[in-house]
Amino acid sequence: MQQRALGLKRTGKTIGLVPTMGFLHEGHLSLMRLARERCDVLVVSIYVNPAQFAPTEDLDAYPRDFGRDEELCNQEGVDLLFYPATMYADDASTWIDEKALSEGLCGAAREGHFQGVCTVVAKLFNLVLPDLAVFGEKDAQQLRIIERMVRDLNFPVEIVRGPILREPDGLAMSSRNKYLSAQQREEALCLRRSLDGVQKLYGEGERSVAVLRRKMLDCIEPVEGAEVDYIEFVDDGSLVAMDEVRGDVLVALAVKIGSTRLIDNEVLHA
Ligand code: PAF
């Protein structure tokens, strides 16, 4: 991959990268379209990265369908599909640790997760040598951590934010939605409803995080199969939690629907 990328660079081509773990859906395709518009060569990587799964999380159960993914990439005009069997030496011992933004939200519940994400993304940048890379806003914390890593480690890569794509009823698209039964699919709508509720209250002038969080809990707690992992109101830049909404605030939540952990978010703009 690196040899190909170096060859492309020598001919003056710009490279866009969309890193994925496969099982592609419309959300991924929208990221590819964003990249496609802005580069000569579009590279999509598919790699279910073991380093970002905790020992308690089931790596083997992560959904995979390479044949379908390949077909979708062809339809989207992807130039190179990077599909490595592995990305780590058996005795790999160098890891990238972002130490501020990774602490809370999903980082609190998923130990080592962002170390795995940062390391694999840095490796992908070194292999694909992209001028730009697109990451979805659904993984809000991941996106901000990668932006921080790129800044802190001077990667010459522009990070492009891809808006969240939603199903017509508002559920954020995710590979994990596949795990939901028909009933759980209905239950999962409580995430979006809770964000709508908070937007409305915020629009009416409410700034107390306790009140806004309560509103979200009221949308989720009555749903039988739903269990809140976290609902956080954090500064959009530092990801530090706040009691009063001031400036741009990221509202992020993770909710378990049965055994499937779903995330969603929204930014309340000042
Ligand atoms: O968002 C994802 O699918 C993964 O975390 C990523 C960025 C491809 C790294 O494995």
Side-chain angles (χ1 to χ4, degrees), residues 19-21 28 45 47 49 52 62 113 116-117 120-121 124 135 139 142 146:
T20 80
M21 299 212 297
H28 295 111
S45 63
Y47 180 62
N49 173 31
Q52 67 190 74
Y62 195 83
H113 172 68
V117 170
V120 83
V121 169
L124 287 167
F135 292 85
D139 294 302
Q142 166 174 284
I146 288 166

PDB file of all heavy atoms in Angstrom, residues 19-21 28 45 47 49 52 62 113 116-117 120-121 124 135 139 142 146, ligand 1:
ATOM      1  N   PRO A  19     -11.196   5.523   6.359  1.00  0.00           N
ATOM      2  CA  PRO A  19     -10.900   4.304   7.123  1.00  0.00           C
ATOM      3  C   PRO A  19     -12.201   3.705   7.665  1.00  0.00           C
ATOM      4  O   PRO A  19     -13.039   4.440   8.197  1.00  0.00           O
ATOM      5  CB  PRO A  19     -10.036   4.799   8.294  1.00  0.00           C
ATOM      6  CG  PRO A  19      -9.846   6.272   8.081  1.00  0.00           C
ATOM      7  CD  PRO A  19     -10.891   6.732   7.136  1.00  0.00           C
ATOM      8  N   THR A  20     -12.372   2.403   7.518  1.00  0.00           N
ATOM      9  CA  THR A  20     -13.591   1.762   8.025  1.00  0.00           C
ATOM     10  C   THR A  20     -13.244   0.401   8.628  1.00  0.00           C
ATOM     11  O   THR A  20     -12.139  -0.107   8.433  1.00  0.00           O
ATOM     12  CB  THR A  20     -14.639   1.504   6.904  1.00  0.00           C
ATOM     13  OG1 THR A  20     -14.258   0.312   6.191  1.00  0.00           O
ATOM     14  CG2 THR A  20     -14.759   2.660   5.940  1.00  0.00           C
ATOM     15  N   MET A  21     -14.234  -0.154   9.321  1.00  0.00           N
ATOM     16  CA  MET A  21     -14.100  -1.538   9.781  1.00  0.00           C
ATOM     17  C   MET A  21     -15.045  -2.434   8.964  1.00  0.00           C
ATOM     18  O   MET A  21     -15.394  -3.536   9.390  1.00  0.00           O
ATOM     19  CB  MET A  21     -14.400  -1.633  11.275  1.00  0.00           C
ATOM     20  CG  MET A  21     -13.430  -0.797  12.105  1.00  0.00           C
ATOM     21  SD  MET A  21     -13.074  -1.458  13.725  1.00  0.00           S
ATOM     22  CE  MET A  21     -14.680  -1.406  14.473  1.00  0.00           C
ATOM     23  N   HIS A  28     -21.183   5.238   5.608  1.00  0.00           N
ATOM     24  CA  HIS A  28     -19.826   5.128   5.057  1.00  0.00           C
ATOM     25  C   HIS A  28     -19.779   5.678   3.628  1.00  0.00           C
ATOM     26  O   HIS A  28     -18.825   6.355   3.245  1.00  0.00           O
ATOM     27  CB  HIS A  28     -19.376   3.658   4.997  1.00  0.00           C
ATOM     28  CG  HIS A  28     -19.224   3.002   6.327  1.00  0.00           C
ATOM     29  ND1 HIS A  28     -20.073   2.013   6.768  1.00  0.00           N
ATOM     30  CD2 HIS A  28     -18.319   3.185   7.318  1.00  0.00           C
ATOM     31  CE1 HIS A  28     -19.691   1.602   7.965  1.00  0.00           C
ATOM     32  NE2 HIS A  28     -18.637   2.296   8.334  1.00  0.00           N
ATOM     33  N   SER A  45     -10.139   1.863   3.459  1.00  0.00           N
ATOM     34  CA  SER A  45      -9.532   0.735   4.157  1.00  0.00           C
ATOM     35  C   SER A  45     -10.616  -0.004   4.930  1.00  0.00           C
ATOM     36  O   SER A  45     -11.554   0.612   5.460  1.00  0.00           O
ATOM     37  CB  SER A  45      -8.423   1.203   5.108  1.00  0.00           C
ATOM     38  OG  SER A  45      -8.959   2.029   6.113  1.00  0.00           O
ATOM     39  N   TYR A  47     -10.645  -2.787   7.911  1.00  0.00           N
ATOM     40  CA  TYR A  47      -9.848  -3.580   8.855  1.00  0.00           C
ATOM     41  C   TYR A  47     -10.551  -3.556  10.210  1.00  0.00           C
ATOM     42  O   TYR A  47     -10.731  -2.483  10.796  1.00  0.00           O
ATOM     43  CB  TYR A  47      -8.441  -2.985   8.981  1.00  0.00           C
ATOM     44  CG  TYR A  47      -7.553  -3.755   9.935  1.00  0.00           C
ATOM     45  CD1 TYR A  47      -7.237  -5.086   9.682  1.00  0.00           C
ATOM     46  CD2 TYR A  47      -7.049  -3.150  11.077  1.00  0.00           C
ATOM     47  CE1 TYR A  47      -6.428  -5.798  10.558  1.00  0.00           C
ATOM     48  CE2 TYR A  47      -6.235  -3.857  11.960  1.00  0.00           C
ATOM     49  CZ  TYR A  47      -5.934  -5.177  11.694  1.00  0.00           C
ATOM     50  OH  TYR A  47      -5.145  -5.886  12.563  1.00  0.00           O
ATOM     51  N   ASN A  49     -10.187  -3.733  13.594  1.00  0.00           N
ATOM     52  CA  ASN A  49      -8.949  -3.514  14.347  1.00  0.00           C
ATOM     53  C   ASN A  49      -9.016  -4.147  15.745  1.00  0.00           C
ATOM     54  O   ASN A  49      -9.671  -3.606  16.640  1.00  0.00           O
ATOM     55  CB  ASN A  49      -8.750  -1.992  14.462  1.00  0.00           C
ATOM     56  CG  ASN A  49      -7.595  -1.606  15.348  1.00  0.00           C
ATOM     57  OD1 ASN A  49      -6.608  -2.345  15.434  1.00  0.00           O
ATOM     58  ND2 ASN A  49      -7.709  -0.447  16.000  1.00  0.00           N
ATOM     59  N   GLN A  52      -8.692  -2.109  19.174  1.00  0.00           N
ATOM     60  CA  GLN A  52      -9.680  -1.200  19.764  1.00  0.00           C
ATOM     61  C   GLN A  52     -10.850  -1.938  20.415  1.00  0.00           C
ATOM     62  O   GLN A  52     -11.826  -1.323  20.823  1.00  0.00           O
ATOM     63  CB  GLN A  52     -10.151  -0.164  18.742  1.00  0.00           C
ATOM     64  CG  GLN A  52     -10.963  -0.694  17.566  1.00  0.00           C
ATOM     65  CD  GLN A  52     -11.179   0.368  16.500  1.00  0.00           C
ATOM     66  OE1 GLN A  52     -10.274   0.713  15.756  1.00  0.00           O
ATOM     67  NE2 GLN A  52     -12.389   0.922  16.430  1.00  0.00           N
ATOM     68  N   TYR A  62     -18.101  -9.171  15.474  1.00  0.00           N
ATOM     69  CA  TYR A  62     -18.296  -7.936  14.706  1.00  0.00           C
ATOM     70  C   TYR A  62     -18.729  -8.315  13.289  1.00  0.00           C
ATOM     71  O   TYR A  62     -18.128  -9.186  12.662  1.00  0.00           O
ATOM     72  CB  TYR A  62     -17.006  -7.099  14.672  1.00  0.00           C
ATOM     73  CG  TYR A  62     -17.272  -5.688  14.222  1.00  0.00           C
ATOM     74  CD1 TYR A  62     -17.722  -4.734  15.125  1.00  0.00           C
ATOM     75  CD2 TYR A  62     -17.126  -5.315  12.890  1.00  0.00           C
ATOM     76  CE1 TYR A  62     -18.011  -3.444  14.715  1.00  0.00           C
ATOM     77  CE2 TYR A  62     -17.412  -4.030  12.479  1.00  0.00           C
ATOM     78  CZ  TYR A  62     -17.851  -3.104  13.386  1.00  0.00           C
ATOM     79  OH  TYR A  62     -18.153  -1.827  12.967  1.00  0.00           O
ATOM     80  N   HIS A 113      -9.606   1.536  24.256  1.00  0.00           N
ATOM     81  CA  HIS A 113     -10.244   1.660  22.942  1.00  0.00           C
ATOM     82  C   HIS A 113      -9.574   2.726  22.071  1.00  0.00           C
ATOM     83  O   HIS A 113      -9.192   2.467  20.924  1.00  0.00           O
ATOM     84  CB  HIS A 113     -11.731   1.985  23.136  1.00  0.00           C
ATOM     85  CG  HIS A 113     -12.446   2.313  21.867  1.00  0.00           C
ATOM     86  ND1 HIS A 113     -12.686   1.379  20.885  1.00  0.00           N
ATOM     87  CD2 HIS A 113     -12.956   3.491  21.391  1.00  0.00           C
ATOM     88  CE1 HIS A 113     -13.330   1.953  19.874  1.00  0.00           C
ATOM     89  NE2 HIS A 113     -13.494   3.232  20.145  1.00  0.00           N
ATOM     90  N   GLY A 116      -6.147   2.006  20.757  1.00  0.00           N
ATOM     91  CA  GLY A 116      -6.227   1.143  19.571  1.00  0.00           C
ATOM     92  C   GLY A 116      -6.613   1.933  18.336  1.00  0.00           C
ATOM     93  O   GLY A 116      -6.053   1.734  17.254  1.00  0.00           O
ATOM     94  N   VAL A 117      -7.579   2.852  18.503  1.00  0.00           N
ATOM     95  CA  VAL A 117      -8.025   3.654  17.357  1.00  0.00           C
ATOM     96  C   VAL A 117      -6.883   4.549  16.869  1.00  0.00           C
ATOM     97  O   VAL A 117      -6.561   4.586  15.678  1.00  0.00           O
ATOM     98  CB  VAL A 117      -9.259   4.522  17.735  1.00  0.00           C
ATOM     99  CG1 VAL A 117      -9.574   5.525  16.629  1.00  0.00           C
ATOM    100  CG2 VAL A 117     -10.475   3.641  18.018  1.00  0.00           C
ATOM    101  N   VAL A 120      -4.054   2.547  15.117  1.00  0.00           N
ATOM    102  CA  VAL A 120      -4.343   2.012  13.776  1.00  0.00           C
ATOM    103  C   VAL A 120      -4.513   3.155  12.775  1.00  0.00           C
ATOM    104  O   VAL A 120      -4.090   3.050  11.616  1.00  0.00           O
ATOM    105  CB  VAL A 120      -5.571   1.060  13.800  1.00  0.00           C
ATOM    106  CG1 VAL A 120      -6.891   1.813  13.717  1.00  0.00           C
ATOM    107  CG2 VAL A 120      -5.473   0.058  12.658  1.00  0.00           C
ATOM    108  N   VAL A 121      -5.081   4.274  13.213  1.00  0.00           N
ATOM    109  CA  VAL A 121      -5.270   5.398  12.290  1.00  0.00           C
ATOM    110  C   VAL A 121      -3.903   5.980  11.909  1.00  0.00           C
ATOM    111  O   VAL A 121      -3.654   6.292  10.741  1.00  0.00           O
ATOM    112  CB  VAL A 121      -6.217   6.465  12.887  1.00  0.00           C
ATOM    113  CG1 VAL A 121      -6.203   7.745  12.060  1.00  0.00           C
ATOM    114  CG2 VAL A 121      -7.645   5.918  12.968  1.00  0.00           C
ATOM    115  N   LEU A 124      -2.450   3.689   9.426  1.00  0.00           N
ATOM    116  CA  LEU A 124      -3.104   3.860   8.114  1.00  0.00           C
ATOM    117  C   LEU A 124      -2.589   5.119   7.423  1.00  0.00           C
ATOM    118  O   LEU A 124      -2.363   5.119   6.210  1.00  0.00           O
ATOM    119  CB  LEU A 124      -4.635   3.922   8.290  1.00  0.00           C
ATOM    120  CG  LEU A 124      -5.305   2.588   8.619  1.00  0.00           C
ATOM    121  CD1 LEU A 124      -6.754   2.800   9.077  1.00  0.00           C
ATOM    122  CD2 LEU A 124      -5.289   1.658   7.398  1.00  0.00           C
ATOM    123  N   PHE A 135     -13.778  11.269   8.559  1.00  0.00           N
ATOM    124  CA  PHE A 135     -14.291  10.529   9.715  1.00  0.00           C
ATOM    125  C   PHE A 135     -15.698  11.034  10.021  1.00  0.00           C
ATOM    126  O   PHE A 135     -15.976  12.237   9.918  1.00  0.00           O
ATOM    127  CB  PHE A 135     -13.391  10.743  10.940  1.00  0.00           C
ATOM    128  CG  PHE A 135     -12.040  10.116  10.788  1.00  0.00           C
ATOM    129  CD1 PHE A 135     -11.020  10.793  10.149  1.00  0.00           C
ATOM    130  CD2 PHE A 135     -11.792   8.833  11.254  1.00  0.00           C
ATOM    131  CE1 PHE A 135      -9.762  10.211   9.988  1.00  0.00           C
ATOM    132  CE2 PHE A 135     -10.538   8.238  11.097  1.00  0.00           C
ATOM    133  CZ  PHE A 135      -9.520   8.929  10.463  1.00  0.00           C
ATOM    134  N   ASP A 139     -19.201   9.237  15.544  1.00  0.00           N
ATOM    135  CA  ASP A 139     -18.176   8.918  16.545  1.00  0.00           C
ATOM    136  C   ASP A 139     -17.499  10.226  16.947  1.00  0.00           C
ATOM    137  O   ASP A 139     -16.333  10.480  16.608  1.00  0.00           O
ATOM    138  CB  ASP A 139     -17.170   7.930  15.968  1.00  0.00           C
ATOM    139  CG  ASP A 139     -17.824   6.587  15.678  1.00  0.00           C
ATOM    140  OD1 ASP A 139     -18.379   5.991  16.615  1.00  0.00           O
ATOM    141  OD2 ASP A 139     -17.810   6.153  14.517  1.00  0.00           O
ATOM    142  N   GLN A 142     -14.179  10.079  18.921  1.00  0.00           N
ATOM    143  CA  GLN A 142     -13.105   9.564  18.058  1.00  0.00           C
ATOM    144  C   GLN A 142     -12.613  10.655  17.110  1.00  0.00           C
ATOM    145  O   GLN A 142     -11.410  10.860  16.942  1.00  0.00           O
ATOM    146  CB  GLN A 142     -13.643   8.368  17.257  1.00  0.00           C
ATOM    147  CG  GLN A 142     -12.755   7.955  16.107  1.00  0.00           C
ATOM    148  CD  GLN A 142     -13.229   6.689  15.430  1.00  0.00           C
ATOM    149  OE1 GLN A 142     -13.049   5.597  15.958  1.00  0.00           O
ATOM    150  NE2 GLN A 142     -13.826   6.812  14.247  1.00  0.00           N
ATOM    151  N   ILE A 146      -8.845  12.155  16.974  1.00  0.00           N
ATOM    152  CA  ILE A 146      -7.992  12.048  15.779  1.00  0.00           C
ATOM    153  C   ILE A 146      -7.531  13.444  15.337  1.00  0.00           C
ATOM    154  O   ILE A 146      -6.370  13.630  14.959  1.00  0.00           O
ATOM    155  CB  ILE A 146      -8.726  11.272  14.670  1.00  0.00           C
ATOM    156  CG1 ILE A 146      -8.788   9.795  15.086  1.00  0.00           C
ATOM    157  CG2 ILE A 146      -8.021  11.422  13.327  1.00  0.00           C
ATOM    158  CD1 ILE A 146      -9.732   8.951  14.309  1.00  0.00           C
TER     159      ILE A 146
HETATM  160  O1  PAF B   1     -14.689   4.351  13.121  1.00  0.00           O
HETATM  161  C1  PAF B   1     -14.193   3.247  12.786  1.00  0.00           C
HETATM  162  O2  PAF B   1     -14.778   2.473  12.010  1.00  0.00           O
HETATM  163  C2  PAF B   1     -12.857   2.816  13.378  1.00  0.00           C
HETATM  164  O3  PAF B   1     -12.725   3.253  14.688  1.00  0.00           O
HETATM  165  C3  PAF B   1     -11.662   3.275  12.530  1.00  0.00           C
HETATM  166  C4  PAF B   1     -11.541   4.778  12.470  1.00  0.00           C
HETATM  167  C5  PAF B   1     -11.780   2.705  11.121  1.00  0.00           C
HETATM  168  C6  PAF B   1     -10.356   2.741  13.147  1.00  0.00           C
HETATM  169  O4  PAF B   1     -10.354   1.357  13.218  1.00  0.00           O
END
